[in-house]
């Protein structure tokens, strides 16, 4: 696969009690993450975009533009004071590959936390209370997808009902079904694909008003 996923969990809010433990595990995981040719069965991440040897599908300039844009976001993160835990550079001799990049100590007002990167960049953000996490998670102009990891059913129900996003996964991620409507809130779009809600885009609503006898409209 390529390194662009619309629902990628780029902002990750981690409760302070497990923050340091999770940072350590993610750093270890990143070391084993294989970046390479999407046709390589061992590869977990492909290029940001792959050049195609076809006049019809030639997208070298577009690919490089996105590649450079992601690297610029990484530089912004470093300049604004976030801590670069892993990655941050291009890799591979050919193609537009970028190392899996993880930032810690990310503030809510940083560019990497406010804007969509569409690249392999994760921002880890520490929180204390559930109310704080909900408030900060909703403090964005986007709202396509979110994920909740918890062993507390009350927390799962409270957060899932409070987060303004089109699809929310609980103790899983990237799970789709044809019966499950897919779409976003706010700047992440309107309307829904899949499910019964998707039929609305193919229907025309007609209103027929017939006044009853002796009604004020006669």
């Amino acid at each position: 696969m390529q390194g662009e996923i619309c629902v990628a969990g780029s902002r990750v809010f981690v409760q302070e009690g497990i923050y340091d433990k999770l940072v350590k595990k993610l750093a270890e995981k990143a070391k084993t993450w294989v970046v390479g040719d999407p046709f390589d069965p061992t590869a977990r991440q492909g290029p940001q975009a792959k050049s195609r040897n076809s006049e019809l599908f030639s997208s070298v300039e577009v690919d490089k533009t996105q590649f450079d844009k992601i690297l610029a976001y990484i530089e912004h993160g470093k300049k604004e004071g976030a801590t670069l835990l892993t990655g941050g550079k291009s890799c591979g001799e050919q193609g537009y590959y970028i190392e899996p990049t993880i930032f810690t100590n990310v503030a809510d007002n940083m560019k990497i936390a406010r804007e969509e990167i569409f690249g392999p960049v994760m921002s880890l953000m520490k929180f204390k209370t559930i109310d704080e996490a909900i408030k900060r998670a909703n403090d964005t102009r986007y709202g396509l997808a979110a994920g909740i990891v918890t062993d507390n059913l009350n927390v799962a129900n409270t957060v899932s009902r409070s987060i303004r996003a089109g699809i929310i996964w609980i103790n899983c991620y990237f799970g789709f079904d044809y019966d499950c409507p897919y779409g976003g809130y706010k700047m992440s779009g309107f309307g829904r694909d899949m499910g019964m809600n998707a039929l609305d885009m193919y229907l025309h609503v007609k209103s027929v008003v017939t006044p009853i006898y002796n009604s004020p409209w006669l």
Side-chain angles (χ1 to χ4, degrees), residues 51-192:
S51 302
R52 306 169 184 84
N53 296 319
S54 166
E55 291 183 3
L56 179 61
F57 297 105
S58 178
S59 60
V60 175
E61 292 183 4
V62 175
D63 299 350
K64 189 176 187 308
T65 297
Q66 180 62 19
F67 174 79
D68 291 339
K69 182 179 178 181
I70 295 166
L71 291 178
Y73 272 113
I74 293 172
E75 289 304 311
H76 273 293
K78 292 189 288 187
K79 289 178 181 178
E80 290 183 334
T83 302
L84 182 62
L85 179 67
T86 64
K89 303 187 300 295
S90 61
C91 59
E93 296 180 359
Q94 294 182 338
Y96 300 113
Y97 296 89
I98 295 177
E99 296 175 337
T101 302
I102 302 174
F103 281 102
T104 62
N105 302 315
V106 178
D108 294 1
N109 61 349
M110 290 182 179
K111 195 177 183 73
I112 57 174
R114 302 300 299 175
E115 299 184 12
E116 291 184 322
I117 300 176
F118 287 111
V121 181
M122 178 185 290
S123 297
L124 298 181
M125 307 158 82
K126 188 186 298 185
F127 74 90
K128 292 183 179 181
T129 68
I130 298 300
D131 288 342
E132 175 198 345
I134 292 170
K135 182 179 179 180
R136 292 171 62 192
N138 283 330
D139 183 22
T140 174
R141 56 182 172 171
Y142 304 112
L144 183 56
I148 303 166
V149 178
T150 180
D151 59 2
N152 187 313
L153 182 59
N154 289 330
V155 170
N157 287 333
T158 298
V159 177
S160 63
R161 284 164 172 73
S162 302
I163 296 295
R164 295 192 292 273
I167 184 168
I168 297 176
W169 293 293
I170 299 175
N171 292 339
C172 64
Y173 207 82
F174 210 62
F176 293 97
D177 186 89
Y178 289 118
D179 293 327
C180 182
Y182 172 79
Y185 283 28
K186 298 180 279 190
M187 292 294 289
S188 289
F190 56 89
R192 293 293 181 269

